[in-house]
PDB file of all heavy atoms in Angstrom:
ATOM      1  N   VAL A  56      21.132  12.151  78.311  1.00 82.00           N
ATOM      2  CA  VAL A  56      21.897  10.952  77.941  1.00 82.00           C
ATOM      3  C   VAL A  56      21.002   9.950  77.217  1.00 82.00           C
ATOM      4  O   VAL A  56      21.303   9.470  76.125  1.00 82.00           O
ATOM      5  CB  VAL A  56      22.502  10.288  79.220  1.00 82.00           C
ATOM      6  CG1 VAL A  56      23.414   9.123  78.820  1.00 82.00           C
ATOM      7  CG2 VAL A  56      23.248  11.322  80.044  1.00 82.00           C
ATOM      8  N   ILE A  57      19.841   9.667  77.884  1.00 82.00           N
ATOM      9  CA  ILE A  57      18.917   8.695  77.288  1.00 82.00           C
ATOM     10  C   ILE A  57      18.339   9.229  75.978  1.00 82.00           C
ATOM     11  O   ILE A  57      18.206   8.502  74.989  1.00 82.00           O
ATOM     12  CB  ILE A  57      17.786   8.361  78.289  1.00 82.00           C
ATOM     13  CG1 ILE A  57      18.374   7.692  79.556  1.00 82.00           C
ATOM     14  CG2 ILE A  57      16.736   7.455  77.649  1.00 82.00           C
ATOM     15  CD1 ILE A  57      19.045   6.347  79.314  1.00 82.00           C
ATOM     16  N   GLY A  58      18.054  10.555  75.994  1.00 82.00           N
ATOM     17  CA  GLY A  58      17.501  11.190  74.771  1.00 82.00           C
ATOM     18  C   GLY A  58      18.440  11.004  73.593  1.00 82.00           C
ATOM     19  O   GLY A  58      18.043  10.611  72.502  1.00 82.00           O
ATOM     20  N   GLN A  59      19.718  11.246  73.873  1.00 84.00           N
ATOM     21  CA  GLN A  59      20.708  11.099  72.793  1.00 84.00           C
ATOM     22  C   GLN A  59      20.769   9.662  72.294  1.00 84.00           C
ATOM     23  O   GLN A  59      20.747   9.405  71.091  1.00 84.00           O
ATOM     24  CB  GLN A  59      22.084  11.534  73.313  1.00 84.00           C
ATOM     25  CG  GLN A  59      23.018  11.880  72.163  1.00 84.00           C
ATOM     26  CD  GLN A  59      24.443  12.111  72.666  1.00 84.00           C
ATOM     27  OE1 GLN A  59      24.679  12.250  73.878  1.00 84.00           O
ATOM     28  NE2 GLN A  59      25.378  12.157  71.757  1.00 84.00           N
ATOM     29  N   LEU A  60      20.780   8.746  73.254  1.00 82.00           N
ATOM     30  CA  LEU A  60      20.854   7.337  72.875  1.00 82.00           C
ATOM     31  C   LEU A  60      19.631   6.935  72.029  1.00 82.00           C
ATOM     32  O   LEU A  60      19.735   6.274  70.996  1.00 82.00           O
ATOM     33  CB  LEU A  60      20.951   6.464  74.129  1.00 82.00           C
ATOM     34  CG  LEU A  60      21.093   4.970  73.835  1.00 82.00           C
ATOM     35  CD1 LEU A  60      22.383   4.664  73.080  1.00 82.00           C
ATOM     36  CD2 LEU A  60      21.041   4.151  75.141  1.00 82.00           C
ATOM     37  N   ALA A  61      18.451   7.391  72.527  1.00 81.00           N
ATOM     38  CA  ALA A  61      17.207   7.057  71.799  1.00 81.00           C
ATOM     39  C   ALA A  61      17.279   7.557  70.358  1.00 81.00           C
ATOM     40  O   ALA A  61      16.899   6.848  69.421  1.00 81.00           O
ATOM     41  CB  ALA A  61      15.999   7.664  72.510  1.00 81.00           C
ATOM     42  N   ASN A  62      17.797   8.797  70.204  1.00 84.00           N
ATOM     43  CA  ASN A  62      17.916   9.346  68.844  1.00 84.00           C
ATOM     44  C   ASN A  62      18.870   8.533  67.983  1.00 84.00           C
ATOM     45  O   ASN A  62      18.618   8.293  66.806  1.00 84.00           O
ATOM     46  CB  ASN A  62      18.400  10.797  68.890  1.00 84.00           C
ATOM     47  CG  ASN A  62      17.218  11.745  69.069  1.00 84.00           C
ATOM     48  OD1 ASN A  62      16.106  11.415  68.649  1.00 84.00           O
ATOM     49  ND2 ASN A  62      17.455  12.879  69.694  1.00 84.00           N
ATOM     50  N   GLU A  63      19.992   8.116  68.622  1.00 85.00           N
ATOM     51  CA  GLU A  63      20.958   7.305  67.874  1.00 85.00           C
ATOM     52  C   GLU A  63      20.327   6.006  67.405  1.00 85.00           C
ATOM     53  O   GLU A  63      20.485   5.603  66.250  1.00 85.00           O
ATOM     54  CB  GLU A  63      22.184   6.994  68.744  1.00 85.00           C
ATOM     55  CG  GLU A  63      23.219   8.100  68.720  1.00 85.00           C
ATOM     56  CD  GLU A  63      24.275   7.907  69.822  1.00 85.00           C
ATOM     57  OE1 GLU A  63      24.429   6.762  70.305  1.00 85.00           O
ATOM     58  OE2 GLU A  63      24.917   8.911  70.177  1.00 85.00           O
ATOM     59  N   VAL A  64      19.575   5.372  68.340  1.00 82.00           N
ATOM     60  CA  VAL A  64      18.924   4.107  67.987  1.00 82.00           C
ATOM     61  C   VAL A  64      17.955   4.342  66.832  1.00 82.00           C
ATOM     62  O   VAL A  64      17.914   3.608  65.846  1.00 82.00           O
ATOM     63  CB  VAL A  64      18.197   3.511  69.213  1.00 82.00           C
ATOM     64  CG1 VAL A  64      17.325   2.332  68.787  1.00 82.00           C
ATOM     65  CG2 VAL A  64      19.217   3.056  70.239  1.00 82.00           C
ATOM     66  N   ARG A  65      17.194   5.425  66.924  1.00 84.00           N
ATOM     67  CA  ARG A  65      16.216   5.740  65.872  1.00 84.00           C
ATOM     68  C   ARG A  65      16.903   5.911  64.503  1.00 84.00           C
ATOM     69  O   ARG A  65      16.517   5.290  63.510  1.00 84.00           O
ATOM     70  CB  ARG A  65      15.465   7.018  66.267  1.00 84.00           C
ATOM     71  CG  ARG A  65      14.378   7.346  65.287  1.00 84.00           C
ATOM     72  CD  ARG A  65      13.599   8.611  65.657  1.00 84.00           C
ATOM     73  NE  ARG A  65      12.517   8.709  64.701  1.00 84.00           N
ATOM     74  CZ  ARG A  65      11.351   8.162  64.884  1.00 84.00           C
ATOM     75  NH1 ARG A  65      11.075   7.542  66.023  1.00 84.00           N
ATOM     76  NH2 ARG A  65      10.436   8.213  63.940  1.00 84.00           N
TER      77      ARG A  65
END
Side-chain angles (χ1 to χ4, degrees):
V56 186
I57 297 296
Q59 200 188 347
L60 182 63
N62 274 332
E63 275 168 21
V64 170
R65 184 179 186 89

